Amino acid sequence: MSQLTDLLSSLSTGRIELIDLTNKLSAQTPTLRLPDPFANLIDFSLEEIAAYDDRGPMWKHQNIHTGEHIGTHIDAPIHWATGRDGDDVAQLPLPRLVGPAVVLDFSAEAAADPDFLLDVRHVRAWEEQHGPIPDNAWVLFRTGWDAYAQDQEKFLNADDAGSHTPGFTVECARWLAEETKISGVGVETVGIDAGNAGALDPIFPMHHYLMGNNKYGITSLQNLAQLPTTGAVIVVAPLPIVGGTGSPARIFAMVER
């Protein structure tokens, strides 16, 4: 039996389970809100063109209106100034969009402190327990934030002092980008940086270092609690938008049961 035939058999019998990690995309999907004077992307919406009527008696079709970085999406290197000479979404190599998934569960810490920042020492301690992060892996940062995935107010958790969502220290962002051979980082929050990352130096360090080192980010992930700490395989499937800085993506994992 070939490896592909074995994979299909394992999927059909449930020996390998598919876990959807994607937030549903609609006009209600929570989106990032940048303060003035910065410009925001448009929210997702559908424009009905025909619906089994005189505009199209046998069919229904719609136009999609959305920004690139809406809902569960991928950030390509050219999204950030440090990666401006890098790949757009259509140029991302397919082998780097499929790889080992490792789940760093800090949901308890994030529940106690929504401004929790993952540091290198946390990742080192995780590696001591679970082994080194594999090459081409996707580091998935579990914070429990997917519980708010359809609630704009709770998802952004903003007040007069800014948005309070978990993220990464500057040193952790630099270390993941420069000292590991991962493909990228995935989070359950609206962006790969902490809500208050604009106050760090450099600002938005995950974007700064990941994009600048030809690594990727994925956001608004769901169901990380259903994944094992190690052993799953992630598949990231964005639209191949020529010149695109990002794209909504269908993201799922394969888990042996």
Side-chain angles (χ1 to χ4, degrees):
M1 182 180 291
S2 74
Q3 293 183 46
L4 288 177
T5 302
D6 186 44
L7 172 62
L8 292 173
S9 175
S10 296
L11 289 169
S12 66
T13 61
R15 285 192 294 128
I16 294 178
E17 182 181 2
L18 297 178
I19 305 295
D20 196 351
L21 306 182
T22 315
N23 193 11
K24 289 182 171 58
L25 190 57
S26 73
Q28 287 71 49
T29 301
T31 57
L32 182 67
R33 291 290 182 265
L34 296 172
D36 291 336
F38 305 113
N40 283 290
L41 297 172
I42 63 169
D43 292 337
F44 180 89
S45 65
L46 292 173
E47 177 191 8
E48 184 179 281
I49 302 303
Y52 327 115
D53 51 26
D54 56 2
R55 300 170 299 172
M58 302 297 294
W59 58 86
K60 180 177 183 177
H61 58 189
Q62 302 166 118
N63 287 327
I64 297 172
H65 300 268
T66 187
E68 297 169 312
H69 302 266
I70 300 295
T72 304
H73 67 271
I74 190 169
D75 293 343
I78 68 164
H79 173 47
W80 212 249
T82 51
R84 67 178 65 192
D85 296 323
D87 289 342
D88 67 22
V89 182
Q91 296 168 324
L92 301 182
L94 289 179
R96 293 190 59 194
L97 299 178
V98 180
V102 298
V103 180
L104 279 61
D105 185 354
F106 287 85
S107 53
E109 288 81 354
D113 177 11
D115 290 312
F116 171 75
L117 298 180
L118 190 74
D119 197 15
V120 177
R121 62 186 174 86
H122 297 117
V123 185
R124 290 294 198 190
W126 184 93
E127 287 188 310
E128 288 179 6
Q129 183 175 0
H130 301 288
I133 296 174
D135 291 356
N136 202 44
W138 284 85
V139 174
L140 308 181
F141 181 33
R142 183 177 172 233
T143 58
W145 221 257
D146 58 340
Y148 313 130
Q150 290 299 319
D151 187 320
Q152 175 84 10
E153 183 175 345
K154 291 182 178 179
F155 199 59
L156 298 186
N157 195 30
D159 58 21
D160 292 341
S163 178
H164 303 279
T165 62
F168 301 80
T169 65
V170 171
E171 180 55 29
C172 189
R174 187 205 63 77
W175 183 81
L176 286 169
E178 297 180 357
E179 304 297 331
T180 75
K181 296 182 180 179
I182 63 173
S183 283
V185 171
V187 299
E188 297 169 322
T189 47
V190 73
I192 56 175
D193 271 295
N196 271 327
L200 300 178
D201 184 18
I203 62 170
F204 307 109
M206 284 297 284
H207 285 85
H208 178 93
Y209 287 112
L210 281 189
M211 309 294 105
N213 284 275
N214 194 32
K215 293 181 169 68
Y216 320 137
I218 48 178
T219 74
S220 301
L221 294 176
Q222 308 289 289
N223 301 321
L224 294 188
Q226 297 183 35
L227 301 187
T229 303
T230 61
V233 171
I234 192 172
V235 179
V236 182
L239 298 171
I241 303 169
V242 175
T245 72
S247 168
R250 190 67 180 262
I251 300 174
F252 61 92
M254 292 182 281
V255 178
E256 288 190 84
R257 298 304 188 191

